[in-house]
Amino acid sequence: MEPVLVNPYNQQPLSEQGQKLVDSSGNEFLKIEGVYKIVNQPNYTDNFGFQWHKFQKTQLDETNNIDLTEDRFFKSTGWDKEDLSGRSMLEVGCGAGRFSEIVLNKTKASLYSLDYSSAVEVNYKNNGKSDRLKLFQASIYEMPFKDNSFDKVFCFGVLQHTPDFKKSVNALIDKAKPGGEIIVDFYPIKGWWTKVHAKYLLRPWTKKMSNEQLLQRIEKRADAMIAAYQWLYKLKLGFLTRFIPICDIKNTFPASLSKEELRNWVILDTFDMFSPEYDNPQKIATVVRWFKERGLHQVKGEFISYGGTLQTAVVRGIK
Ligand SMILES: C[S@@+](CC[C@H](N)C(=O)[O-])C[C@H]1O[C@@H](n2cnc3c(N)ncnc32)[C@H](O)[C@@H]1O
């Protein structure tokens, strides 16, 4: 059964009427360029809207002719491509749609995908040709779906950027059906040193800069920072790269990128690291505990390897 759409502010069912969703009280949500707008901007995710409009295709597997996102998706979820046929799937925090692309190209699931920022418009540009995709600009806290609606729920790279990590986890669990599966990945707290990092030292200033100003500064310094980063690794002083204001190239990027691609990925990920309003990493064990507190079964938290040498912190469970 398809998930029932509801107005998140009064829980009344929504019906599709032309280019809008309407509830029985007459409240309307417009569909603009393929996206149902459940929220208004501006909100705290405007940096992400800016980022994904600038870097629309940078990280897409298809564009780069790689299988990095595919590998991360299937290794993290453990899902079987065939088994997903006809399943209802919810993706929260889709950005430009690199995971949507995998779900739509590699499975026959029907995908409901949302993001709080205007990035979801970019997902429409990248993936809107599929009739198995429905897109919403909405917050994880105000999702336009009845509870207990989805067979599969995933949320990758998002939770640390929400104001209340635990509330966000609970919101995801609410939307899965009994027997449905929830999978999240996020920035982990590995120890006391996690926050001893240029990112956390500089963020109080960088997140207040305008998006344009921050991007310009990163673009101007990108080549020098890449050179310094690579030089430290050559000297076997890789541990010091945490004090360079640049993203983690070694542990998050595929080795196959050309020099130009590497520069673009660095600019995107460094902007992504310095611009968000919220950056709240979490311990895997804590997220596991929250899943268990909600009565989920088969809860497991672990680091998953993908793309050769890369790693991501994943927690999964069944409702
Ligand atoms: C780092 S990006 C990751 C995007 C995508 N999952 C990926 O891995 O490419 C984080 C995304 O989370 C979204 N986000 C942050 N807070 C959100 C919220 N409350 N509800 C829905 N999405 C949110 C941002 O707008 C942004 O697009």
Side-chain angles (χ1 to χ4, degrees):
M1 215 175 62
E2 286 292 301
V4 174
L5 301 185
V6 296
N7 179 341
Y9 306 107
N10 63 14
Q11 300 308 313
Q12 289 178 6
L14 290 167
S15 57
E16 286 187 67
Q17 296 182 14
Q19 291 302 300
K20 55 194 177 191
L21 292 170
V22 186
D23 72 14
S24 50
S25 303
N27 297 303
E28 296 181 348
F29 300 100
L30 295 182
K31 188 181 198 180
I32 302 172
E33 291 181 32
V35 178
Y36 288 113
K37 300 277 180 173
I38 310 297
V39 293
N40 287 320
Q41 285 180 283
N43 63 52
Y44 76 82
T45 59
D46 287 354
N47 62 300
F48 287 111
F50 174 87
Q51 165 183 316
W52 294 121
H53 274 88
K54 284 268 174 208
F55 297 91
Q56 303 200 354
K57 291 187 178 283
T58 304
Q59 292 184 332
L60 297 187
D61 272 10
E62 204 170 71
T63 307
N64 291 295
N65 202 15
I66 54 177
D67 61 2
L68 185 72
T69 302
E70 179 180 356
D71 196 42
R72 176 167 154 197
F73 182 80
F74 287 107
K75 293 236 170 83
S76 299
T77 60
W79 291 339
D80 175 80
K81 290 178 188 168
E82 302 304 320
D83 179 57
L84 293 173
S85 294
R87 304 265 190 189
S88 56
M89 198 181 282
L90 171 62
E91 173 184 26
V92 176
C94 61
R98 66 172 150 155
F99 292 104
S100 309
E101 177 183 88
I102 302 307
V103 171
L104 297 166
N105 287 353
K106 307 289 170 183
T107 81
K108 299 255 179 318
S110 74
L111 180 64
Y112 290 70
S113 185
L114 66 84
D115 198 288
Y116 198 20
S117 75
S118 63
V120 70
E121 295 162 6
V122 180
N123 193 354
Y124 179 69
K125 285 191 194 159
N126 284 332
N127 295 303
K129 58 188 178 297
S130 170
D131 58 4
R132 282 183 288 117
L133 176 65
K134 286 200 165 57
L135 288 168
F136 304 83
Q137 187 175 356
S139 170
I140 193 168
Y141 305 121
E142 287 152 353
M143 293 191 270
F145 316 111
K146 215 172 160 186
D147 287 354
N148 303 312
S149 283
F150 291 91
D151 296 309
K152 307 277 178 193
V153 176
F154 72 93
C155 181
F156 289 164
V158 176
L159 293 171
Q160 64 273 357
H161 296 309
T162 64
D164 184 335
F165 200 123
K166 184 176 184 185
K167 188 175 165 196
S168 303
V169 166
N170 281 323
L172 297 172
I173 295 172
D174 286 342
K175 297 303 164 197
K177 285 177 183 169
E181 197 170 359
I182 301 104
I183 306 209
V184 300
D185 85 357
F186 52 90
Y187 296 169
I189 297 179
K190 292 183 175 167
W192 58 266
W193 61 90
T194 295
K195 288 205 170 181
V196 183
H197 193 286
K199 169 165 74 163
Y200 294 104
L201 300 174
L202 295 175
R203 272 179 41 74
W205 290 278
T206 56
K207 70 178 191 176
K208 290 203 188 97
M209 286 179 191
S210 74
N211 292 320
E212 289 78 6
Q213 195 189 12
L214 178 60
L215 183 64
Q216 253 179 27
R217 288 190 177 207
I218 294 169
E219 280 172 341
K220 214 168 129 192
R221 292 168 178 79
D223 293 325
M225 291 192 303
I226 294 171
Y229 185 102
Q230 291 173 335
W231 183 72
L232 281 177
Y233 266 102
K234 267 196 198 129
L235 294 178
K236 304 225 177 316
L237 294 172
F239 64 96
L240 288 178
T241 54
R242 63 194 308 106
F243 297 111
I244 304 179
I246 187 175
C247 62
D248 182 2
I249 299 174
K250 193 164 180 289
N251 296 306
T252 50
F253 289 4
S256 60
L257 296 179
S258 69
K259 203 171 166 203
E260 191 49 35
E261 286 165 343
L262 176 73
R263 189 172 189 277
N264 270 334
W265 283 53
V266 162
I267 294 169
L268 163 57
D269 262 18
T270 305
F271 183 86
D272 185 289
M273 147 177 158
F274 283 119
S275 62
E277 179 64 27
Y278 302 104
D279 187 317
N280 305 311
Q282 196 45 268
K283 286 186 180 153
I284 292 184
T286 305
V287 180
V288 164
R289 177 161 51 79
W290 291 338
F291 270 51
K292 288 186 175 165
E293 279 172 11
R294 284 291 305 266
L296 268 61
H297 327 280
Q298 297 177 36
V299 177
K300 193 161 183 199
E302 59 187 335
F303 284 98
I304 295 279
S305 299
Y306 69 100
T309 55
L310 313 182
Q311 266 202 340
T312 179
V314 174
V315 175
R316 58 171 91 96
I318 296 183
K319 188 165 167 184

